[in-house]
Amino acid sequence: MPKILIVGGGYAGFYTAWKLEKWLRPGEAEVTVVDPLPYMTYQPFLPEVAAGSIEPRHAVTSQRRHLTKTNVITAKVTRIDHASKTATITPEVGEPWEFDYDVVVVTGGAVSRTFPIPGIADNAIGLKTIEEAVAIRDRVLSNFDKAASLPPGPERDRLLTFVVVGGGFAGIEVFAELRSFASALLKYYPQITFDETHFHLIEAMGRIMPEVSLPTSHWVIKHLAQRGAEIHLDTQLTSALDGRIELSTGESFESDLIVWTAGVMANPGIVRTSDLPVEERGRIKARADLRVGDDDDFVPDAWAAGDIAAVPDLSGGGVGGYCVPNAQHAVRQGKLLAKNIVAVLRGEEPKEYFHKNLGAVAGLGLGSGVFQSGKIAIKGLIAWFAHRGYHGLAMPSWERKFRVFWGWWNNFWLGRDIVSLSALQAPRAQFEAFAARPKPPAAEAPAPAAPVAQKADAKAAKPVTAKPAEGAKAEAVGAK
């Protein structure tokens, strides 16, 4: 029975395994998914998680719960040697081992792409994982708690100044959601006024959200400005040392939260440790049928999809002729990938991936959104419903859909949950502070030294034996 190894359990990897379970006949192939995380993260929900609108666990899907016919290994693939069809699997605990496969599917996703700007590596946080979204939410809440007990001044301003770098969909969505979140928090913090909260989005290009039309992007900027959020276009971040933001325009201010959303890159931990062909931007070369290779030739038994792969966009709408790294493409490629693998196993020809983008939808905080399809643009409440409806139904499995919609329904009546769990970053801190520890063993005390006067008396009392004279010694020897 052929062994299919899926490297990465994100959108493309999860959907590939999920659909293979549906389309493979019993005993036709054995499927294994390897990912360092035991869940798939639905990334379009991360801005709402950061704003407290979605429970974090509802934005992820358990691999073991929903991939019931697949071998799930929670570990990293640290080497792919397709020439010998072996992969090195490295678990978090234990020794690495070699895994033999017949077919490899590389869907390792992407990571945040940063630039060598001073202070970014030490002070910024990305928005690619559920843990990052939770940390952003808790930081906002913790900063409000701290600022409420401080008098007006530089430290209070720093705690209430929030910065997002990058004006793409992810950046605009988290920026708008955080602005909405902060506005909703003000009624719980009467010590803080609206004018004391500051939101800055920094974008190096001359526009935001390239997926929508220019007039729509202008409406978003105006809409956010009316809500007290400032967008800096044609502006670069030059430094973020110690939280001090310095811009190419000469402006500077301090912030305690810097969210980086300015681009992604193919997962280097997988791309750089495999012998599969890679294109100039660091992605695995893929054909339109999702086999690894180019138009002239392909690598047998090797497939790639999602953000880690350079898949040609046959619709003509992609950047540079390739599919852009987003959830729409990753999910659809994963489904087609499963069909193509089954087709090749049965001696049939794979189909080419073709998807024409029908539109883009984004949430801009509670009750506000934007939708663009061709020349049609919808803004406001209707677009917000479209955003939630589309992504709510796109969440894999009815179990997860129900949890998400039920959470939204609860929030409609009860409001967002504003409890900060920042202590999760160091969960044992309080326990360690008060935990009883065994006392160190007492060292043996040295014998007390005798007083000087006592030593002198002892020396004087010691009997003195007179040495025999030389003559006496000689006499004694003769007698002997």
Side-chain angles (χ1 to χ4, degrees):
M1 186 164 58
K3 294 182 178 180
I4 301 173
L5 173 64
I6 301 176
V7 182
Y11 293 124
F14 179 86
Y15 272 92
T16 300
W18 206 23
K19 296 305 179 181
L20 281 175
E21 290 189 351
K22 177 181 178 181
W23 293 321
L24 283 172
R25 302 184 186 116
E28 191 171 10
E30 177 184 307
V31 182
T32 300
V33 171
V34 181
D35 193 284
L37 298 174
Y39 50 79
M40 185 215 80
T41 302
Y42 191 73
Q43 293 181 4
F45 280 157
L46 293 184
E48 289 202 55
V49 172
S53 295
I54 292 180
E55 165 65 28
R57 286 180 298 176
H58 297 170
V60 299
T61 301
S62 170
Q63 296 167 358
R64 297 181 186 276
R65 177 168 184 170
H66 296 284
L67 301 179
T68 56
K69 301 177 183 178
T70 302
N71 300 322
V72 176
I73 300 176
T74 304
K76 292 181 179 179
V77 173
T78 53
R79 175 69 183 167
I80 299 175
D81 185 0
H82 193 64
S84 62
K85 291 192 175 181
T86 59
T88 304
I89 298 178
T90 304
E92 187 173 351
V93 178
E95 296 297 323
W97 76 88
E98 299 297 316
F99 183 92
D100 297 323
Y101 63 81
D102 298 291
V103 178
V104 67
V105 179
V106 184
T107 55
V111 298
S112 296
R113 178 184 57 134
T114 59
F115 306 107
I117 301 173
I120 284 297
D122 300 320
N123 299 302
I125 185 171
L127 191 66
K128 289 291 292 179
T129 68
I130 195 68
E131 292 82 3
E132 290 174 326
V134 172
I136 292 170
R137 181 201 65 184
D138 289 344
R139 177 67 66 86
V140 172
L141 290 168
S142 296
N143 283 10
F144 266 74
D145 290 332
K146 295 173 184 176
S149 61
L150 291 175
E155 181 62 20
R156 182 166 166 144
D157 288 340
R158 185 181 70 86
L159 291 171
L160 296 177
T161 299
F162 307 98
V163 175
V164 175
V165 183
F169 251 62
I172 289 295
E173 284 193 297
V174 72
F175 184 64
E177 290 286 353
L178 291 180
R179 173 68 270 184
S180 174
F181 187 32
S183 298
L185 288 175
L186 291 174
K187 66 179 179 180
Y188 304 107
Y189 296 87
Q191 307 90 339
I192 300 174
T193 64
F194 179 88
D195 293 336
E196 290 181 291
T197 59
H198 310 285
F199 284 80
H200 299 269
L201 184 134
I202 303 167
E203 171 53 47
M205 306 296 290
R207 62 163 299 176
I208 61 170
M209 304 174 74
E211 298 87 349
V212 303
S213 66
L214 192 60
T216 302
S217 70
H218 288 165
W219 177 87
V220 173
I221 294 174
K222 182 180 178 181
H223 176 68
L224 290 174
Q226 292 173 345
R227 291 164 51 187
E230 185 175 356
I231 295 179
H232 306 261
L233 297 178
D234 292 315
T235 304
Q236 295 180 353
L237 176 65
T238 58
S239 177
L241 285 173
D242 299 323
R244 181 166 185 81
I245 305 299
E246 296 184 5
L247 306 180
S248 57
T249 58
E251 297 175 77
S252 65
F253 48 86
E254 292 195 359
S255 172
D256 193 57
L257 177 61
I258 307 168
V259 182
W260 181 274
T261 64
V264 297
M265 64 179 179
N267 191 333
I270 297 174
V271 172
R272 297 173 185 173
T273 59
S274 79
D275 57 353
L276 298 173
V278 178
E279 49 97 61
E280 60 273 8
R281 294 189 62 185
R283 298 173 296 180
I284 293 177
K285 289 183 179 180
R287 294 155 50 98
D289 59 10
L290 304 179
R291 287 186 284 195
V292 174
D294 52 30
D295 294 336
D296 300 325
D297 198 8
F298 65 89
V299 179
D301 301 322
W303 305 78
D307 295 356
I308 201 171
V311 179
D313 190 344
L314 301 182
S315 71
V319 178
Y322 295 100
C323 296
V324 297
N326 62 23
Q328 285 190 42
H329 285 305
V331 169
R332 288 172 172 81
Q333 288 172 10
K335 294 177 181 180
L336 178 64
L337 185 51
K339 288 184 178 180
N340 283 351
I341 291 174
V342 173
V344 171
L345 287 176
R346 296 173 184 172
E348 302 171 6
E349 287 298 316
K351 296 181 179 180
E352 292 186 333
Y353 175 75
F354 180 90
H355 172 66
K356 185 173 180 61
N357 190 3
L358 299 178
V361 61
L364 302 176
L366 286 180
S368 181
V370 61
F371 170 79
Q372 180 84 46
S373 180
K375 296 182 179 180
I376 301 175
I378 302 175
K379 313 173 188 75
L381 183 62
I382 296 177
W384 179 73
F385 277 117
H387 162 75
R388 284 205 161 180
Y390 172 79
H391 286 297
L393 293 175
M395 187 72 183
S397 83
W398 285 104
E399 174 255 341
R400 262 341 189 220
K401 289 180 174 65
F402 180 82
R403 292 182 189 273
V404 169
F405 279 105
W406 184 250
W408 282 335
W409 177 254
N410 288 337
N411 286 351
F412 177 78
W413 296 104
L414 305 175
R416 306 187 227 207
D417 197 328
I418 63 167
V419 176
S420 170
L421 299 178
S422 57
L424 285 176
Q425 309 302 322
R428 298 186 66 250
Q430 186 178 22
F431 179 82
E432 289 180 350
F434 298 101
R437 292 176 170 81
K439 294 181 179 180
E444 285 190 25
V452 177
Q454 184 178 350
K455 287 184 178 180
D457 294 342
K459 188 175 182 181
K462 186 177 180 181
V464 179
T465 305
K467 294 183 179 179
E470 292 295 329
K473 284 186 180 180
E475 186 177 351
V477 172
K480 186 176 179 183

